[in-house]
Amino acid sequence: MHSTRLVALTIATLLFFSASLTGTASAADQPTPGEQALKYRKSLYQVIVWNFGPMSAMAQGKIPFDQAEFATRASRVAALTPLLPEAYPPESRGVAGSDLKDKMWDNRADFNSKLQDLINESAKLASVAQAGDEADSKAAFFDTANACKNCHDEYRSDD
Amino acid sequence: MHSTRLVALTIATLLFFSASLTGTASAADQPTPGEQALKYRKSLYQVIVWNFGPMSAMAQGKIPFDQAEFATRASRVAALTPLLPEAYPPESRGVAGSDLKDKMWDNRADFNSKLQDLINESAKLASVAQAGDEADSKAAFFDTANACKNCHDEYRSDD
């Protein structure tokens, strides 16, 4: 049964899922591993920030607090932040288009510690948001936002 | 205590997390809501595919099967696929730079059903991968990849 399923997958589909993502691409116009990692990193932040946005608006009272939506988005962010450490491999150092300050590479332990703070705060946020108290949820949001800011202040060049 | 934390968040940080993501941006050079949604959609797929890649290579025997890594990446994909439905809001119809066939908008129920298949298969993949059997994990991977392909065949223009 499974071999039938395998045959149903075309070569094109298999290539789509493996060629550019496992370091096997060799064509000159393929992105380098560092460029691929930067694209992954930016995509990851984009997905995080998209979900952070409505929580931010609720925490600031710009839109009504919706406990279910807040908890859903907090849960997503908590699932996403643990993916960040992999998005900063050494081969991405110096790749054009990044806002990362180069000094991070000489302060990796501190940077990793700040990433871990974000992971911890976002896990706490998801837990508090699930419990459902509005004031506690907003406070946990600002703790998480501060964890973002602490790292941006030190290692991001444009804010 | 929380007010202290709030003060510590600069106006700039608050704007960073809310301006472009809650529809309040008004400057002419800001992306439209449709463009923002397309960027979110592409970012989401990028994060999914990055994690799909090593599973694909393992499933095809191109790299050794690593149960822990396979299970971690399967868990990530299962957390990410439920975010996809939100990434196709009506305002993103016709936005430049998308591979989505326009006919999707007239077949939304079928499209949603195919997305749900992917969500279901990726949840099963995460569960099977966590249990740890290599053959079962690879079979569940191909089931998930087929769920991707079923939707691409119908609604994606370039593969």
Side-chain angles (χ1 to χ4, degrees):
Chain A
M1 188 169 85
H2 291 139
S3 64
T4 306
R5 290 178 184 147
L6 179 52
V7 169
L9 278 171
T10 65
I11 297 293
T13 301
L14 291 173
L15 287 173
F16 170 76
F17 284 123
S18 59
S20 67
L21 294 164
T22 55
T24 58
S26 59
D29 61 349
Q30 290 292 319
T32 66
E35 288 167 342
Q36 290 176 32
L38 177 58
K39 187 174 180 184
Y40 179 59
R41 186 194 308 165
K42 285 174 170 278
S43 296
L44 198 42
Y45 280 114
Q46 179 67 21
V47 178
I48 290 170
V49 171
W50 173 279
N51 285 287
F52 221 64
M55 283 194 285
S56 176
M58 289 182 210
Q60 296 173 69
K62 291 183 175 180
I63 61 175
F65 183 76
D66 178 325
Q67 193 269 329
E69 179 177 0
F70 195 99
T72 295
R73 297 198 183 279
S75 169
R76 292 174 177 180
V77 170
L80 288 160
T81 54
L83 279 63
L84 286 170
E86 186 192 17
Y88 291 87
E91 60 266 29
S92 68
R93 182 172 189 168
V95 173
S98 172
D99 296 324
L100 181 66
K101 290 182 184 173
D102 189 71
K103 72 172 184 177
M104 184 282 280
W105 301 101
D106 298 321
N107 296 275
R108 188 69 193 238
D110 179 62
F111 179 78
N112 287 348
S113 169
K114 287 179 165 57
L115 275 187
Q116 191 58 50
D117 287 344
L118 173 61
I119 293 167
N120 296 345
E121 292 297 342
S122 60
K124 194 187 75 178
L125 171 60
S127 173
V128 168
Q130 185 63 40
D133 182 80
E134 178 174 343
D136 289 350
S137 295
K138 291 179 175 179
F141 169 82
F142 288 119
D143 287 344
T144 305
N146 269 333
C148 296
K149 184 179 183 299
N150 285 342
C151 201
H152 291 176
D153 285 349
E154 194 71 20
Y155 296 113
R156 184 174 161 143
S157 58
D158 70 347
D159 73 335
Chain B
M1 187 170 85
H2 291 138
S3 63
T4 306
R5 288 177 184 147
L6 179 52
V7 169
L9 278 171
T10 66
I11 297 294
T13 301
L14 291 173
L15 287 173
F16 170 77
F17 285 124
S18 59
S20 66
L21 295 164
T22 54
T24 58
S26 59
D29 60 349
Q30 289 291 318
T32 66
E35 289 167 342
Q36 291 175 30
L38 178 58
K39 187 175 181 184
Y40 179 59
R41 186 194 308 165
K42 285 175 170 277
S43 296
L44 198 41
Y45 280 115
Q46 179 68 20
V47 177
I48 290 170
V49 171
W50 172 279
N51 286 286
F52 221 65
M55 284 194 285
S56 176
M58 289 183 210
Q60 297 174 69
K62 291 183 174 179
I63 61 174
F65 183 76
D66 178 325
Q67 192 270 327
E69 180 176 0
F70 196 99
T72 295
R73 296 198 182 279
S75 169
R76 292 174 179 181
V77 170
L80 288 159
T81 55
L83 279 62
L84 285 170
E86 186 193 18
Y88 292 86
E91 61 265 29
S92 67
R93 182 173 189 168
V95 172
S98 173
D99 297 325
L100 181 66
K101 291 181 183 173
D102 189 70
K103 72 172 184 178
M104 184 282 279
W105 301 101
D106 298 322
N107 295 275
R108 189 67 192 239
D110 179 62
F111 179 79
N112 287 348
S113 169
K114 287 179 165 57
L115 274 187
Q116 191 58 51
D117 286 345
L118 172 61
I119 292 167
N120 295 346
E121 292 297 343
S122 60
K124 193 186 75 177
L125 171 60
S127 174
V128 168
Q130 185 63 39
D133 182 81
E134 179 174 344
D136 289 348
S137 295
K138 290 179 176 181
F141 169 82
F142 288 119
D143 287 343
T144 305
N146 270 332
C148 296
K149 184 178 182 302
N150 286 342
C151 201
H152 291 177
D153 285 349
E154 196 69 20
Y155 296 113
R156 184 174 161 142
S157 59
D158 71 346
D159 74 336

